[in-house]
């Protein structure tokens, strides 16, 4: 029996793709090993969102090779966004890579591996964008013993925010057909999945079609997903404020299954910076959206992504971001120092801010966000939370661990039969990175 080893970096889109690769290879009698030394096929799924992530790919490939970590005749495959961005050029830096495939060609991976195996080609590269074809050629996802699952509803992005490489690595926005998505979700819930996480680079602008050609937008899709038997919790990511419609906000009111949190990347609190980023909304419009969300659900948790040190960001512009974070009172959020990316408009903008200043800004911002997130956690003390039990506790495997609707890990005592269920937990203790609770 042939074996494969896979390592995945980057976003949920990559995680989803990796799971589909697992299903695909299993179906072709290549089974997974977590020991790279045993693998006949080694796969690295990569991220290109920032330069650091990209360089990590090359470092990892060289480390595996120089330390002889895999078999001499193993087939080395690189997928994901670095593969898509650099394609054949990867071979110039790492000539021992055999297969280079993109996010849209994972369904062709077995054929590509076989071409190398048969000796027909030493290197095979296919990073093309054959629209949304991959979903028609992948096996139905398996979700044994999983309580939660990602479901890709759209691929790519056509927004061209000026800093972002995604439109170049994942192609233009393409939505998956409605029936295919609903069938996949039904198949997952029949296997016991309780939580569905609808994913895409910009889910709010989902515009799929039914088989008869009728259109369906994201709000409509949410109602269809909520109507599927067994769907107890719905999450979705990532939302673009530009496309967050009143209908989607209404769905938060109508559909109790939608988790009580939303990740809504703002990127900056300064209108000037937002303009240079080509985000197509203002600070005021963003604040208005958060108000509407809180009208629909008064206790909704709002998290965000912020880029610090975008070219030309002045101290005042940065302070506007700080004040927005306070005003919206974001929950746990992500922030990054700007990294210039190939092909993007921003990479040619003048950037005079020293790295040391950017670092100071990000420390300040992260301290504020962490403070606010801790405050939210403290407010959860004594409340009863719906917790999706996803396994045993990392530190003590006699205890269970689960996730609240606002993405906090909770450890508590309970029977292992509860794994995979949504249970009510009273929060009894708030720690730095997790909560403790009691089963109700
Ligand atoms: N530099 C820094 N951060 C970036 N992001 C996207 N592109 C860049 C870049 N060039 C961040 C954004 C996005 C998150 C996924 O990554 O905040 O929301
Ligand atoms: Fe990148 Fe902007 Fe598209 Fe998000 S919306 S993937 S930040 S281009």
């Amino acid at each position: 029996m042939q074996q494969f080893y896979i390592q995945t970096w980057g976003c949920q889109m990559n995680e989803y793709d990796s799971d589909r690769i697992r299903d695909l290879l299993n179906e072709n009698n290549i089974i997974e090993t977590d020991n790279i030394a045993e693998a006949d096929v080694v796969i690295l799924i990569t991220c290109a969102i920032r330069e650091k992530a990209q360089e990590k790919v090359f470092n990892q490939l060289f480390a595996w090779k120089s330390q002889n970590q895999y078999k001499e005749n193993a087939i080395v495959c690189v997928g994901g966004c670095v593969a898509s961005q650099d394609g054949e050029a990867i071979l110039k830096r790492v000539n021992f890579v055999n297969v280079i495939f993109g996010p849209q060609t994972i369904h062709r991976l077995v054929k590509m591996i076989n071409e190398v195996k048969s000796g027909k080609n030493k290197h095979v590269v296919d990073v093309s964008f054959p629209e949304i074809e991959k979903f028609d050629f992948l096996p139905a996802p398996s979700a044994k013993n999983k309580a939660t699952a990602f479901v890709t509803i759209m691929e790519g992005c056509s927004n061209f925010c000026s800093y972002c490489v995604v439109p170049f690595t994942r192609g233009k926005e393409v939505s998956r057909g409605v029936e295919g998505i609903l069938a996949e979700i039904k198949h997952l819930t029949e296997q016991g999945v309780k939580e569905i996480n609808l994913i895409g680079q910009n889910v709010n602008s989902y515009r799929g079609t039914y088989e008869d050609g009728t259109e369906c937008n994201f709000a409509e899709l949410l109602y269809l997903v909520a109507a599927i038997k067994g769907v107890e919790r719905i999450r979705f990511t990532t939302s673009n404020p530009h496309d967050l419609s009143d209908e989607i906000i209404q769905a938060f009111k109508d559909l109790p299954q939608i988790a009580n949190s939303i990740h809504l990347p703002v990127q900056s609190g300064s209108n000037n910076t937002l303009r240079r980023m080509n985000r197509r909304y203002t600070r005021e419009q963003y604040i208005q959206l958060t108000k509407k969300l809180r009208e629909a659900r008064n206790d909704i948790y709002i998290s965000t992504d912020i880029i610090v040190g975008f070219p030309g960001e002045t101290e005042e512009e940065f302070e506007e971001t700080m004040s927005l974070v306070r005003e919206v009172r974001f929950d746990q959020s992500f922030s990054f120092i700007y990294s210039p990316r190939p092909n993007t408009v921003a990479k040619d903008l003048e950037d005079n801010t020293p790295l040391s200043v950017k670092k100071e800004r990000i420390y300040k911002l992260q301290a504020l966000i962490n403070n606010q997130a801790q405050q939210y956690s403290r407010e959860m003390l004594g409340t009863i939370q719906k917790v999706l039990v996803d396994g045993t506790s990392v530190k003590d495997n006699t205890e269970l661990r689960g996730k609240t609707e606002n993405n906090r890990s909770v450890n508590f005592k309970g029977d292992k039969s509860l794994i995979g269920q949504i249970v009510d937990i009273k929060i009894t203790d708030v720690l730095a990175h997790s909560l403790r609770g009691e089963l109700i």
Side-chain angles (χ1 to χ4, degrees):
M1 195 71 115
Q2 294 262 301
Q3 298 193 75
F4 72 94
Y5 171 86
I6 188 164
Q7 191 162 315
T8 308
W9 293 333
C11 66
Q12 293 152 333
M13 305 294 290
N14 274 3
E15 278 180 46
Y16 175 88
D17 283 352
S18 290
D19 278 344
R20 305 311 299 273
I21 289 171
R22 290 186 169 96
D23 295 336
L24 182 73
L25 295 184
N26 275 333
E27 203 185 59
N28 284 275
N29 296 320
I30 311 179
I31 55 163
E32 183 165 10
T33 170
D34 52 16
N35 179 2
I36 188 169
E38 291 176 351
D40 307 285
V41 177
V42 173
I43 306 169
L44 184 60
I45 302 296
T46 62
C47 171
I49 198 89
R50 285 170 289 275
E51 194 183 355
K52 241 190 206 154
Q54 175 177 313
E55 284 314 300
K56 205 168 124 187
V57 175
F58 295 97
N59 295 340
Q60 179 67 86
L61 290 168
F62 285 122
W64 278 340
K65 178 79 179 164
S66 62
Q67 296 160 12
N68 290 321
Q69 291 206 25
Y70 52 72
K71 292 184 201 167
E72 208 181 320
N73 60 352
I75 298 174
V76 180
C77 312
V78 176
C81 288
V82 175
S84 165
Q85 174 186 279
D86 292 352
E88 206 158 344
I90 289 181
L91 296 173
K92 288 198 195 116
R93 283 180 74 178
V94 271
N95 63 1
F96 52 85
V97 167
N98 303 103
V99 173
I100 299 175
F101 64 106
Q104 301 304 338
T105 48
I106 59 176
H107 57 294
R108 298 178 184 164
L109 183 58
V110 173
K111 186 172 147 266
M112 296 166 84
I113 291 171
N114 286 338
E115 275 179 42
V116 176
K117 216 187 284 172
S118 68
K120 190 171 157 213
N121 288 305
K122 191 159 182 286
H123 308 288
V124 187
V125 182
D126 182 356
V127 291
S128 58
F129 292 101
E131 290 285 316
I132 207 100
E133 167 192 298
K134 80 177 185 195
F135 295 102
D136 300 330
F137 292 91
L138 286 168
S142 69
K144 282 186 201 81
N145 310 322
K146 273 189 9 186
T148 177
F150 294 126
V151 174
T152 293
I153 62 165
M154 48 125 50
E155 295 260 354
C157 182
S158 305
N159 284 331
F160 292 94
C161 299
S162 66
Y163 51 81
C164 186
V165 78
V166 167
F168 307 98
T169 58
R170 285 196 172 254
K172 68 174 190 330
E173 208 169 278
V174 193
S175 294
R176 241 181 117 178
V178 181
E179 285 89 349
I181 295 172
L182 299 180
E184 186 168 321
I185 294 172
K186 200 158 165 276
H187 182 75
L188 289 165
T189 53
E190 281 165 3
Q191 293 173 80
V193 169
K194 303 280 188 303
E195 176 186 89
I196 297 293
N197 198 335
L198 303 172
I199 58 171
Q201 232 69 47
N202 184 8
V203 286
N204 294 348
S205 66
Y206 172 82
R207 201 152 274 278
T209 49
Y210 292 89
E211 273 155 16
D212 68 6
T214 326
E215 278 206 347
C216 172
N217 66 25
F218 185 57
E220 288 158 2
L221 185 69
L222 285 172
Y223 288 86
L224 293 173
V225 173
I228 295 174
K229 199 168 142 238
V231 174
E232 292 185 24
R233 191 189 274 179
I234 302 172
R235 294 184 189 277
F236 52 86
T237 187
T238 292
S239 288
N240 190 317
H242 180 263
D243 304 298
L244 184 64
S245 65
D246 287 347
E247 289 74 27
I248 300 171
I249 295 174
Q250 181 65 34
F252 274 95
K253 229 181 195 165
D254 296 342
L255 304 174
Q257 292 101 318
I258 300 182
N260 201 22
S261 59
I262 184 168
H263 186 64
L264 193 62
V266 66
Q267 313 299 357
S268 168
S270 148
N271 283 335
N272 277 338
T273 312
L274 287 171
R275 206 170 308 117
R276 292 199 303 284
M277 288 177 163
N278 190 30
R279 287 294 284 179
R280 301 180 301 149
Y281 55 80
T282 61
R283 173 194 174 101
E284 293 72 28
Q285 284 166 334
Y286 185 92
I287 291 171
Q288 191 54 30
L289 284 176
T290 62
K291 285 190 176 147
K292 282 189 194 167
L293 281 163
R294 286 184 171 133
E295 274 161 26
R297 292 253 185 112
N298 62 2
D299 54 351
I300 193 168
Y301 292 84
I302 303 176
S303 60
T304 202
D305 289 345
I306 290 168
I307 296 177
V308 169
F310 186 76
E313 183 190 67
T314 62
E315 199 57 37
E316 292 71 42
E317 288 176 9
F318 170 69
E319 285 303 328
E320 288 180 78
T321 297
M322 292 289 284
S323 81
L324 181 80
V325 170
R326 284 190 207 97
E327 185 167 347
V328 174
R329 201 178 166 225
F330 287 116
D331 191 17
Q332 322 182 99
S333 295
F334 303 96
S335 51
F336 315 92
I337 290 184
Y338 167 74
S339 165
R341 306 309 297 132
N343 302 310
T344 60
V345 167
K347 80 171 195 321
D348 298 320
L349 297 178
E350 202 176 345
D351 186 2
N352 296 322
T353 315
L355 185 60
S356 56
V357 173
K358 294 187 182 190
K359 281 188 177 163
E360 271 170 37
R361 286 182 190 165
I362 202 161
Y363 293 147
K364 217 170 134 186
L365 176 67
Q366 283 174 348
L368 174 63
I369 291 172
N370 291 343
N371 229 314
Q372 291 184 179
Q374 265 300 312
Q375 183 60 36
Y376 274 119
S377 295
R378 282 195 294 272
E379 287 167 16
M380 291 170 77
L381 192 67
T383 63
I384 293 167
Q385 299 286 328
K386 292 224 166 308
V387 171
L388 180 77
V389 190
D390 53 15
T392 52
S393 155
V394 184
K395 285 200 188 122
D396 175 357
N397 73 2
T398 64
E399 290 206 341
L400 299 178
R401 183 198 60 189
K403 273 260 154 70
T404 61
E405 291 188 56
N406 61 353
N407 285 308
R408 263 104 177 142
S409 291
V410 190
N411 294 303
F412 58 97
K413 289 197 191 336
D415 192 85
K416 287 203 170 82
S417 62
L418 294 175
I419 294 173
Q421 311 291 323
I422 294 180
V423 295
D424 284 332
I425 297 287
K426 185 170 180 187
I427 305 302
T428 54
D429 209 355
V430 177
L431 310 171
H433 302 289
S434 63
L435 307 171
R436 285 203 58 80
E438 270 169 18
L439 196 61
I440 298 286

